[in-house]
Each structure stands twice: as C-alpha cells, then as structure tokens.
Amino acid sequence: MKYIDEFRDVELAKKVMARIKQISTRPARLMEFCGGHTVSIMRSGLRQLLPPGVEMLSGPGCPVCVTANADIDKAIALASLPDVIISTFGDMMKVPGSYSSLQQARAEEADIRIVYSTQDALQIAKSNPTKSVIFIGIGFETTAPTIAASILQAENEGIKNYFVLCLSKLCPPIMKALLDLGELKLDGIICPGHVSVIIGSRPYEFIPREYGVACVVSGFEPLDILLSVEMLVKQIETGKPKVEIAYRRGVNPQGNKTALVLMDTIFEVGSADWRGIGVVPASGLVIRKKFERFDAEKAFSITVQPAKEPKGCICGDILRGVKIPLDCKLFRNVCTPEHPVGPCMVSSEGSCAAYNQYGAE
Ligand code: SF4
C-alpha cells in the first residue's frame, strides 16, 4: 500500500539504523511525545535496536491517559443526571475515575453510548430531542477541529440538546511545562504527527530556541520514526537544534489553516488539568462565551467528590517520562487490560497497554 509499505521496509530500516550507529558518538535522550509513536516503537522493537547511547522515553501524548481523574469524575456525574445521554469514544469507558468508571455507570443504568465521531453524537442528539446529549470531548489539536465543527453545526442547525464536556488539550504548552519541570534532561523530542498536521511545525520553534532541544515531527510507521531519530541524532551531534519535519507527506510548517480558523472560532485557550502534571495554564481549550450554551460544564449543575488517584498506579510518572511501566508493582499482576487500575493500561495508545501487548521484559 503506497505511503505505508515503503515505511515498513526492513532493508531500508537496516540502512537507516546503520547510519544512526555511524553518526552517534554521544548520549542522546529522546522523548517520543505521542502514544501512537510509543505503540509503533514497541510493536516494531525499535527501542532495543538503537545504539546504546540513544535512549527513548515515552511522553504524555495519549489523550485518554492524560485525562485527569477529576474530569473523568465530572463525566460520570453528568451521566447520572436524568434525561442525559453521554456519548464518548470507546477507550474512555474502562478508564477508572476516583470512585467509578463510565462502564460501571452504564451498568448502573446510565445511558452512555460509544461513538466513533462527533457526527455520531450529533445524530444521537437529533434522534433524541427530549434528551440532552453530552459528548465527552477529550483529545489534542487533532480532534479539536471536529469538536469545533460539531458545535458550529449544532448552532447552524438549531440543535439545542447537544453539549460538549470540553477536555481538549494542547501539545506545545505541555512540552514547555515538562521542560520547565526539569525532571528529565532531554536532548530531542519526536513531535506528534497527527497533531502537527493541524498546527504545523512552527509552534515547536521555541523548544530549540529557548531550551536547546532538537525537534523532529514524525509519522507513525517504523521507518518514519527511524528517520526522525536519525535527524535528531544529527542535530544533537552537530550541536544545532532546530525543528525539522520528517513527516512531509502529512505536515507543513504552517498547519491546516481551515482547521485552525475553525478551532479559533469556537475555542479560546484556557487551563487544563493533566494527569501526573496538574493544572497547567494555557494548555487547553475552552468554549468561547458566544457558544457557551453548548458547554456541558455551564449547562448542567453537578457535584463531584474530591478526586483521588488509584493506589499504587504510577501513570502520572510514566506520562512525565520519569518511569516506565515495568517500574510499576501492579503491572501485569494486579493491573491487566481486563482489570486496568490506571488509564495507561486501558488506552490503545497507553504505555502500559503497549508494554503488556508487545511483551517488554
Ligand atoms: Fe497504572 Fe496499571 Fe500502568 Fe501500573 S501498570 S502504572 S497501575 S496503568
């Protein structure tokens, strides 16, 4: 399949790997920001094949995993209101909140429906005019345009029973927050491909400029990632960090203008609560005042107990890149995909699920 097969070519991968080994003379600590990259790296065993000096750490780029327990608790509280239908992506169902999960709430008769897009959620709203339909809007800049489009469509079509619990998050500000925390001394970041299709590569330019950290935007196939590692190692070896794009077939420097305008029409930048990191100013999207009647947090009154983290779960440390799933005492014994303790074992992009599935020892 064009644009996929050639990025899985083993012979080409061996050549790139040989080049990386040739140019690598000093330690290079890299973070793959995105959960999709973590899964691809684990699935193809790339981590073990890289030269010993090239270290790869997973970052916080899994939308389900970084959703704070307090926000999951809000979704569950909304689900318990009368005449409310919750619509959500399937990954969210099994994520444990502080006291329950959406799956448990559904077992207790809450009306919670799995959708594949905001269009599905809008359709549920149209088909159930006497109910309030709330879409759980998690995700990064990748999904924010479709959430914005759904709000605009509801406005234009006069759909009055559609609401969004807006939990959208922004990637460059959380990269800045991680760098400011200073827990990790990173040399390079593999920047997220899908997010960058929307925002372009320019929003990362502060990273090499202010932090001296190399950045390459990568696609998701093994060769995409290897080429990105090669570009990062070259930047690190020459001491000239900058932002480069290895994912040229999807990303340009300026991003997708239509999607950015759409996002800006509906949302403004606000604070967001990140699991393991906390509330970070200007790292999320909130619905603008003009469209606030679609904002579930403003339209409904709910009370939630103070949030608490699952005992023994180190998802927060894993999302900050300071620990790996194998450091968790609960990994694979108490915490499994069937009985997840934390979100990193639930999500298809979660590190713990990837380590579990692809057999890292
Ligand atoms: Fe949390 Fe389970 Fe991962 Fe441990 S293995 S960090 S409990 S999700």
Side-chain angles (χ1 to χ4, degrees):
M1 197 185 299
K2 188 153 173 61
Y3 298 129
I4 292 188
D5 289 345
E6 60 265 51
F7 288 91
R8 293 179 180 171
D9 187 309
V10 175
E11 292 310 313
L12 277 175
K14 282 184 187 163
K15 284 183 189 159
V16 182
M17 192 66 84
R19 292 204 301 263
I20 295 172
K21 285 183 176 155
Q22 203 174 19
I23 58 174
S24 167
T25 65
R26 62 175 83 176
R29 182 179 259 189
L30 314 179
M31 172 178 274
E32 84 271 3
F33 178 87
C34 179
H37 286 146
T38 301
V39 171
S40 184
I41 288 166
M42 297 295 300
R43 188 193 292 131
S44 54
L46 286 187
R47 220 181 281 267
Q48 291 86 335
L49 298 174
L50 288 166
V54 180
E55 185 185 1
M56 299 211 60
L57 306 167
S58 302
C62 159
V64 170
C65 307
V66 292
T67 302
N69 260 12
D71 288 330
I72 294 166
D73 296 343
K74 277 183 208 164
I76 295 166
L78 287 166
S80 69
L81 295 175
D83 296 321
V84 160
I85 301 174
I86 296 288
S87 53
T88 179
F89 296 134
D91 268 7
M92 285 295 284
M93 290 298 288
K94 279 173 97 175
V95 180
S98 305
Y99 307 93
S100 180
S101 66
L102 286 169
Q103 182 166 270
Q104 203 174 322
R106 184 159 76 173
E108 289 159 8
E109 315 240 305
D111 192 345
I112 303 175
R113 306 189 192 181
I114 293 173
V115 293
Y116 296 97
S117 70
T118 49
Q119 281 303 308
D120 292 347
L122 275 176
Q123 194 50 54
I124 294 170
K126 285 185 196 172
S127 309
N128 295 272
T130 60
K131 307 267 184 175
S132 299
V133 175
I134 303 173
F135 178 71
I136 308 300
I138 63 155
F140 299 129
E141 294 93 331
T142 327
T143 45
T146 61
I147 298 172
S150 73
I151 291 174
L152 203 55
Q153 185 179 344
E155 166 84 354
N156 291 340
E157 294 182 13
I159 303 170
K160 296 198 182 332
N161 61 330
Y162 177 69
F163 305 88
V164 172
L165 177 61
C166 186
L167 305 174
S168 292
K169 295 180 172 60
L170 302 172
C171 293
I174 207 62
M175 291 177 177
K176 180 172 177 0
L178 279 183
L179 292 165
D180 285 341
L181 272 177
E183 290 181 301
L184 298 168
K185 170 73 191 81
L186 290 179
D187 301 297
I189 299 177
I190 295 184
C191 298
H194 293 151
V195 163
S196 307
V197 170
I198 304 297
I199 65 172
S201 61
R202 286 188 185 139
Y204 307 114
E205 282 174 359
F206 73 94
I207 298 175
R209 192 178 58 237
E210 294 172 24
Y211 296 89
V213 173
C215 287
V216 173
V217 178
S218 178
F220 292 87
E221 297 302 329
L223 248 176
D224 283 314
I225 297 170
L226 270 182
L227 286 167
S228 303
V229 170
E230 183 187 13
M231 291 161 87
L232 285 170
V233 171
K234 265 189 199 158
Q235 288 189 37
I236 293 160
E237 291 289 331
T238 55
K240 290 183 180 157
K242 57 187 169 184
V243 177
E244 292 183 288
I245 302 171
Y247 191 28
R248 286 269 169 201
R249 64 193 187 283
V251 175
N252 62 48
Q254 61 276 6
N256 182 320
K257 196 168 172 224
T258 308
L260 291 170
V261 168
L262 186 55
M263 281 163 67
D264 189 52
T265 304
I266 303 295
F267 301 121
E268 59 191 10
V269 173
S271 61
D273 193 359
W274 296 69
R275 183 185 298 271
I277 302 169
V279 176
V280 179
S283 70
L285 295 173
V286 294
I287 298 173
R288 285 188 185 278
K289 192 160 181 44
K290 184 178 172 198
F291 296 95
E292 70 180 4
R293 73 177 185 80
F294 296 100
D295 188 337
E297 286 205 68
K298 296 204 168 121
F300 300 91
S301 173
I302 48 169
T303 334
V304 284
Q305 307 272 345
K308 56 178 190 183
E309 295 303 315
K311 205 161 174 249
C313 173
I314 59 165
C315 276
D317 294 336
I318 292 170
L319 291 164
R320 296 197 312 282
V322 295
K323 289 201 174 154
I324 62 170
L326 302 181
D327 295 326
C328 179
K329 291 194 176 76
L330 309 185
F331 179 70
R332 274 194 187 147
N333 47 61
V334 176
C335 181
T336 62
E338 293 72 35
H339 299 287
V341 176
C344 299
M345 187 58 94
V346 178
S347 170
S348 54
E349 294 188 348
S351 285
C352 300
Y355 269 71
N356 179 65
Q357 182 165 0
Y358 299 111
E361 299 299 340

